[in-house]
Structures are given as structure tokens and as C-alpha cells.
Amino acid sequence: PVSLAAGQIRVGAVVAVTPVLANVSRNVQGEVSFDIRGRTGARYVIQAGDTLGAWTTLATRDAEADSIRFTDLTATAAERRFYRVLVQ
């Protein structure tokens, strides 16, 4: 945002941080867990799909820290699954 007041210019910037998936694991029940590393205060939409063309939203989470842990309880029957995280 830019604001002009009495001969002053004030510029503010929001730094975009691309979320990164890390520490991916699958337990014996078939649940998949991973860390989402990004920016404190960001809102993440976590999606999964059996192909790279069709995505289903699993959850929306607000990051209270630079890294949050997510567990997909619905992955138990999936032989293969793709994940992506969108910043909302």
C-alpha cells in the first residue's frame, strides 16, 4: 500500500512466501503427515488429488507459526496421492 500525506510518501510491502512441504511421512494406518513451512499469519488451503488435474480441499488452516503440521486422515485408502498448498 502507498499513502500520500503532506508531502510524504509512505510505502508498505507484504512479502509473499511460497509454502514448502517438508517432513512427509505415512504411518502404518496409511495417514499422511507433513509440515507446511511458510509465514506466520498466512492462511493455507490444503488440497489433495489422485491426479494432478482434480483437486479436493481437505482443510484451511491459519499459520500461528512459520511451520504447521498437517495430517491427512483420509489418505488411508489411497495408493498414490498428490498434495498442494495454496495461500489464501
Side-chain angles (χ1 to χ4, degrees), residues 25 28 43 61 67:
S25 63
V28 294
R43 175 168 283 181
R61 297 280 160 74
S67 180

Side-chain angles (χ1 to χ4, degrees), residues 44-67:
Y44 297 118
V45 178
I46 302 155
Q47 297 183 329
D50 296 330
T51 69
L52 293 174
W55 297 99
T56 300
T57 297
L58 302 176
T60 300
R61 297 280 160 74
D62 294 324
E64 297 178 6
D66 289 344
S67 180

Side-chain angles (χ1 to χ4, degrees), residues 2-84:
V2 176
S3 63
L4 303 171
Q8 296 179 349
I9 297 176
R10 186 175 295 167
V11 178
V14 175
V15 178
V17 176
T18 301
V20 175
L21 301 184
N23 301 321
V24 180
S25 63
R26 187 173 196 159
N27 65 23
V28 294
Q29 292 85 14
E31 301 165 345
V32 175
S33 296
F34 51 84
D35 294 331
I36 302 167
R37 296 183 182 162
R39 182 177 52 88
T40 301
R43 175 168 283 181
Y44 297 118
V45 178
I46 302 155
Q47 297 183 329
D50 296 330
T51 69
L52 293 174
W55 297 99
T56 300
T57 297
L58 302 176
T60 300
R61 297 280 160 74
D62 294 324
E64 297 178 6
D66 289 344
S67 180
I68 59 173
R69 188 83 175 151
F70 176 77
T71 300
D72 180 4
L73 303 175
T74 66
T76 56
E79 183 177 316
R80 152 181 86 189
R81 199 151 202 194
F82 299 96
Y83 293 93
R84 71 178 181 181

